[in-house]
Each structure stands twice: as C-alpha cells, then as structure tokens.
Amino acid sequence: MSETEVTTAPRPLLLADGRPADRAWSLDSAMKHLNHGSFGAVPLVAQELQNELRAEMDRSPVVWFPALPQRIADTRVELARFLRVDADDLALVPNASAGVSVVYAGLPDRPGGEIVVTDHGYGAVTMGAQRLARRWGGRVRTARVPLGAGEEEAYEAVAAELSDATGLVVLDQITSATARRMPVERVGAHARRLGIPTLVDAAHAPGLIAAPLDGLTCDFWVGNLHKWGCAPRGTAALVARGELRERLYPLIDSWAAADPYPDRFDQQGTVDATGYLAAPAALDFVERTWGWDTARRYMEDLAGYAEHVIGGALAELTGEPGTVDVGMPVPGMRLVRLPAGLAASRVEADALRDRAADELGVETAFTSFDGVGYLRLSAHVYNTPADYEYFAETCVPVLGEWARAARARSDTP
C-alpha cells in the first residue's frame, strides 16, 4: 500500500524566475532521469561552488590542506543542523558503505558472535557483515521479512533472531531494493534493552525524512547526503553515540588519529574534501527555492502519481496488479512489479538498467527481491509528471516485449 495514492498529476515545481526546476541541474536533456535514489543529482549552485573550492585548493595546496580540518569541522555544524543532531556526534565519510565499514572495523572482538541482518539489506553492507562475522568466528543471521510486512510483523521477524550470541544488529531505515521502511525505532529500543549494539543503514534517509534520528535508539547511523539531499557525490554522515564511538577511526590513519571522535575524521591527508564543503550549498538551495517541506510533499505526490500511471500501464500489459504493497511505505519512492521474465536476480536487474539507459534513454532502477523483478520509482523536485507518463506510454510496452522474449528463451530447451 502506498504512502499516498495520487491519481492526478501534481503541478511541477518552478524556480524563482519561473523556469522549470530541472534548469538548476546539469542533467542530460536527452535522458529521462527517474532514478534519483541511486546517485542523486547535484544542483548547479553546488557544482559551481565545488569547482571554485577545487580551484582554491589547486592554487595553493600548502595553504589549503592545513586549514582544511577546521573548514570541515565548521561544515559539520551546518550539516548536523540539517539532520537535527549534535555536531559532536557527526563525522563525515564518503558514503554510507564507508561509514558502515568504519563501524565494522571499530567494534570490539566478539568470539563466536552473531550479526543479525534482514533479507532486504543492501548487498555491500551485508557482505561487510559477513566478513566481520568471519573475523569473529561467528555467523550472520538473516531475518526474513515479507515484502508486505507491517511494522509489527517486521519487528517480530527481526526480534526473533536476537539472542545472547548477538553482537550487532544491522537494519535499514529505508531499504534500497524494496523501497520500504524497517521498524528501526522499535528494534533499536529492544536491542538497547538487551545490550546489543545497533547500526542503522540510512543511506536514503537524509532529505527524504525531515528528522531521521528523532525517536531513534541506535549506536551508529549512516546516511548519504548525496542522494535526496543533492550534495556532491561522496558525502555522507556517520552519527555515533555512546561509549563505542570512541572506537571509531577513519579507514585511513592520518595526523588527527590521536584526536577524539569525530575530530579525527576531519583530517584525511590529500583527500579531495570539496564535496563535503559544498554540501550545505545544495541543502540550502532546496530550502531557499521551495523549502524542504514543500519539496518533500511534491516528491511524495509525484511518486504516488508515478505509481498510479506506470503501475496501471503494467497492469494493463500483464493482466496482473502492477502496484505493490510494501507494508511500511516511504515518501518519494514506490515499487511496481515488472512482467515475469525480467530482473529475477540482482545481476539481471542491473543488466536491465543498463539496457534501458542505452536503448530507451531512461535512467531508472530495476531491483529484485525473492526472485521477483521490480521497478523502483523515485521522484525529486526536477522531475515532472510528464517523465512518468513518457515511461508508461513508451517504455512499458518495450518492457513487455523484452519480457516475452526472455520467457521464450527460458522455455527453449
């Protein structure tokens, strides 16, 4: 069931001068961009600032790099304000996976310890958990959460895997492949009562959720600012609270290694940190132009309309429901079911993504869960109803042809 069902097209957002919102980005006009959720899109104002910062760095690197840690520390204050957290709890990392790797590397040894994940978890994060479990001489336990599970059912599925052997719980705030929430608040509170550390993978949360850490009990939280927040790519926040955070170190030791958390993350040698410094410009651009609350409402309404239009086209094509009940829906993202024969695995889904970009001129996300292929829809302020109408009218029939061809191949002895 959707967060909001929208059957009429929302009015596209405009810039202050009346131009379409997409003019504030350098997106390829020959491509339909329907997959903001994967890599985001950076507004020109942030791109231009980052270019200026790079030029400043290259003009006088010996001046730039010694002064950089303080500039990063000042930027953390601005980003913490956006996330509504304490700046002393926030470190900057290149992406959510890097933040997760920092946590895995910093946890104390737990011989024989188990790590609990779900079958909705991001693949790279789960692979890191498996490596940590091997280091511990333990194992990963996977909680099976049905796609349509509501909060209670999802909570019970995860809680059932916790035991005295559990050394860590890893849970998505918003899942990548299935575009749904997980009950991180309830699981985090329960794990805290049991004395089990919790790591929340919130890669999609910043910008999509106004205050993603409000009411959330966890030891570690990581979120990408370069997705819904539109910051330059390679900009993410690691929020750590409690005594375990002093065990966290950057993946690269540098001259600040002896400093406390999070200061030690502010100095990373000659790493290009201009993306960090330009991130507030991207966040401020959305706030000044529309306001984040207005932007989120538009993204939600547009995603609901996209689900209605594309789900309806797929239903007409296949004779089966195109929309999907994800149990705990999220704003701005939707999941619709693909025709049988498409994206039955992650490898097939990635290949379909590449083919759609090459042959249809559409950037979108195809995903797979439990052997079923899905189209993950995500909407941002630069998208319009026409983007999704185009996909429904032009691309859905082609997907039907590709699906029929795939099924024919599989039936051939």
Side-chain angles (χ1 to χ4, degrees), residues 49-58 64 71 274 277-278:
L49 175 58
Q50 187 177 19
N51 288 337
E52 292 172 6
L53 290 167
R54 281 177 172 150
E56 180 185 346
M57 174 177 65
D58 289 332
W64 170 270
R71 295 179 77 162
T274 56
L277 303 184

Side-chain angles (χ1 to χ4, degrees), residues 116-118 158 169-174 182-185 187-188 198-202:
V116 172
V117 301
T118 78
V158 177
V169 180
V170 183
L171 193 61
D172 297 80
Q173 190 161 23
I174 297 172
M182 284 293 177
V184 289
E185 294 83 3
V187 171
T198 301
L199 165 61
V200 174
D201 178 359

Side-chain angles (χ1 to χ4, degrees), residues 33-47:
H33 300 273
L34 309 182
N35 184 21
H36 185 91
S38 283
F39 301 106
V42 185
L44 287 167
V45 63
Q47 294 181 40

Side-chain angles (χ1 to χ4, degrees), residues 176-178 335 338 342-346 349-350 365-369 372-376:
S176 176
T178 50
L335 207 64
L338 291 171
L342 295 180
S345 68
R346 184 188 65 82
D350 288 350
F366 296 101
T367 69
S368 176
F369 180 73
V372 178
Y374 298 96
L375 169 64
R376 190 194 72 192

